[in-house]
Amino acid sequence: MLDSLIEFFTTYGYIAVFGVLLLCGFGLPIPEDITLVAGGVISSVACAVDGTFMQALQSCHQVHLMFAVSMAGVLIGDSTMFFLGYIFGNKLLKVKFFARIVTQDRYNWTQSKFEKYGFWFIFAARFMPGLRSPIYVVTGITRKVSYIKFILTDGLAAIISVPLWVYLGFWGQRQLTGSSELEHYVKKGQMGIITIIGIAIVSLIIIWYIKKKIKEKTNI
């Protein structure tokens, strides 16, 4: 898939990267991280600067433009899903396309998790391929979060994930021998992010539990 995306993006440029990321927000079954890595690869190919990775990073404006384009595609896609839920509410779930994305089980699950974890759940959704779109739709439907709070939370998560994959693609094109090796690093990065998110969630649960117990003891 990485090779196909690189070829497609090389042909159609930044607008193709933006379009695919926008469609990813609508649930397009293409991994967002692979798309971002491919964007980083073509920005490296377009840059003819030699030298170390850091020297190339400082000299190549293409990769920084790719980062900006990618952020725009990601955030506009996420915002569109939020606004569709916010504007049309539960009526949206009667549309076949959205009914497949937001099943009743997913709707109930998202509601329960949002009630429990609040903004942390929106933050974590950015790192949940396949669940991101339904979570953002349901967040809009519930209308429990303003758009400003939603985009700030989502943007905070995106500012971590988007540059990670774009600059990994930029580095990989210059340092690695082929796309298969780069995809290996992508998988390692995915596991690393999932592990960090998991540790953070477990830590928050432990902190919440300890505070609850302390409060119960003080009220006795």
Side-chain angles (χ1 to χ4, degrees):
M1 179 176 285
L2 180 57
D3 286 332
S4 300
L5 284 171
I6 291 172
E7 183 179 353
F8 177 63
F9 293 158
T10 301
T11 303
Y12 297 102
Y14 296 101
I15 190 65
V17 177
F18 176 83
V20 170
L21 288 171
L22 189 65
L23 292 175
C24 283
F26 283 84
L28 182 72
I30 294 179
E32 185 179 275
D33 45 17
I34 295 294
T35 302
L36 292 167
V37 168
V41 169
I42 68 163
S43 65
S44 180
V45 171
C47 182
V49 176
D50 294 323
T52 66
F53 169 70
M54 290 306 299
Q55 288 172 335
L57 195 62
Q58 292 171 2
S59 303
C60 295
H61 70 276
Q62 289 93 337
V63 67
H64 307 306
L65 178 59
M66 181 61 71
F67 164 58
V69 169
S70 299
M71 280 293 292
V74 163
L75 294 180
I76 292 173
D78 294 346
S79 298
T80 301
M81 298 303 282
F82 173 86
F83 275 121
L84 285 171
Y86 192 90
I87 294 170
F88 296 103
N90 288 312
K91 295 178 182 178
L92 194 68
L93 304 182
K94 296 179 181 179
V95 180
K96 285 186 178 181
F97 174 78
F98 289 98
R100 286 196 295 268
I101 295 176
V102 187
T103 62
Q104 189 60 48
D105 289 340
R106 282 183 174 179
Y107 182 85
N108 295 337
W109 178 81
T110 300
Q111 284 274 49
S112 64
K113 295 300 180 183
F114 186 78
E115 289 288 341
K116 190 172 184 179
Y117 300 112
F119 293 109
W120 284 107
F121 186 57
I122 298 175
F123 179 87
R126 170 119 295 281
F127 307 97
M128 299 180 188
L131 293 174
R132 186 184 304 125
S133 296
I135 289 172
Y136 292 160
V137 170
V138 174
T139 301
I141 290 174
T142 60
R143 296 190 177 186
K144 293 180 179 179
V145 178
S146 69
Y147 174 68
I148 296 298
K149 291 181 179 179
F150 168 79
I151 198 63
L152 286 176
T153 307
D154 185 42
L156 179 62
I159 205 69
I160 296 172
S161 63
V162 173
L164 171 67
W165 299 123
V166 170
Y167 291 109
L168 175 63
F170 182 83
W171 170 83
Q173 194 279 329
R174 293 178 168 272
Q175 303 294 328
L176 305 179
T177 57
S179 61
S180 60
E181 191 176 357
L182 182 53
E183 287 194 64
H184 170 70
Y185 277 91
V186 173
K187 290 178 181 178
K188 288 181 68 175
Q190 290 171 332
M191 290 305 300
I193 290 174
I194 291 171
T195 301
I196 292 170
I197 294 294
I199 292 172
I201 291 174
V202 171
S203 300
L204 288 170
I205 292 173
I206 292 173
I207 292 171
W208 170 80
Y209 179 77
I210 292 173
K211 285 184 176 180
K212 181 182 178 183
K213 288 298 181 181
I214 292 174
K215 187 176 181 180
E216 288 177 353
K217 288 182 179 180
T218 55
N219 291 334
I220 293 176

